[in-house]
Amino acid sequence: MLAFLDTATAPPRTQIMESLSHPRLTGMTREDLDALARRLAPRQIAQTERASYQRRGAVRQPVSRGGVFPQKIGDVERVVLAVLYLRKLCTLDVLADALGDVSRSLIGNVVREIRPLLVETGLLPPQRPVTDPPPSSSPPHRARTTHRQVDSLRLQ
């Protein structure tokens, strides 16, 4: 936060999420995506509280805090990640690597939390268009990647 105030440059996470929320990837405008995140926010809070209640086995104590650790992924980010995964544009590993500071399992948990909310509201994202491969008489070719090719990709 201080680096942002001192240098006036956006943090990398913000830039990454800006790229991931592009309308071509999400299948909806940024305004629609923001509206979807706002619509799902109360349900996300209720879902989180319900899960906390089940873990505790009782109501929250009057003097207790809402949680000790802040969430690594915000509500809007959760919706964007779930939409990208459900549109089958990215794997959990790709999304985790893109963000850098979260694990594959955390992204999987996010998708498992958000998907029922999208189904419940009838707002599942449209699937990406599937293009049929051209017909061919030969069996499908399986590309092989050599160690040299992988090393050259890492150097770029």
Side-chain angles (χ1 to χ4, degrees):
M1 179 81 158
L2 294 175
F4 173 73
L5 295 174
D6 292 339
T7 62
T9 58
R13 177 75 164 262
T14 305
Q15 293 169 348
I16 291 166
M17 289 311 297
E18 185 71 21
S19 297
L20 290 176
S21 65
H22 192 279
R24 281 191 155 168
L25 295 176
T26 60
M28 58 185 84
T29 65
R30 285 195 169 100
E31 292 80 21
D32 290 343
L33 191 61
D34 289 339
L36 175 62
R38 282 192 308 273
R39 211 173 328 163
L40 293 179
R43 289 184 173 93
Q44 286 177 302
I45 292 168
Q47 186 179 46
T48 302
E49 183 59 32
R50 186 171 40 252
S52 296
Y53 178 84
Q54 288 173 344
R55 275 193 309 272
R56 282 190 311 266
V59 295
R60 189 182 303 271
Q61 297 295 319
V63 294
S64 66
R65 295 184 291 162
V68 178
F69 302 107
Q71 292 184 347
K72 283 190 169 188
I73 301 175
D75 291 340
V76 175
E77 292 173 335
R78 289 173 175 271
V79 172
V80 170
L81 295 172
V83 165
L84 292 176
Y85 181 77
L86 293 172
R87 290 193 78 208
K88 299 180 181 173
L89 293 172
C90 298
T91 64
L92 298 176
D93 290 321
V94 169
L95 292 171
D97 287 344
L99 295 178
D101 62 344
V102 297
S103 67
R104 177 187 193 278
S105 62
L106 178 64
I107 303 288
N109 291 339
V110 165
V111 172
R112 278 189 294 283
E113 291 171 8
I114 299 297
R115 189 178 195 288
L117 299 178
L118 292 171
V119 170
E120 178 183 301
T121 57
L123 298 171
L124 270 177
Q127 294 290 322
R128 69 181 166 116
V130 177
T131 56
D132 292 329
S136 105
S137 58
S138 63
H141 175 69
R142 210 166 187 193
R144 285 196 224 169
T145 305
T146 64
H147 292 292
R148 186 173 295 148
Q149 289 170 324
V150 171
D151 290 339
S152 69
L153 290 173
R154 288 183 187 150
L155 295 174
Q156 292 177 359

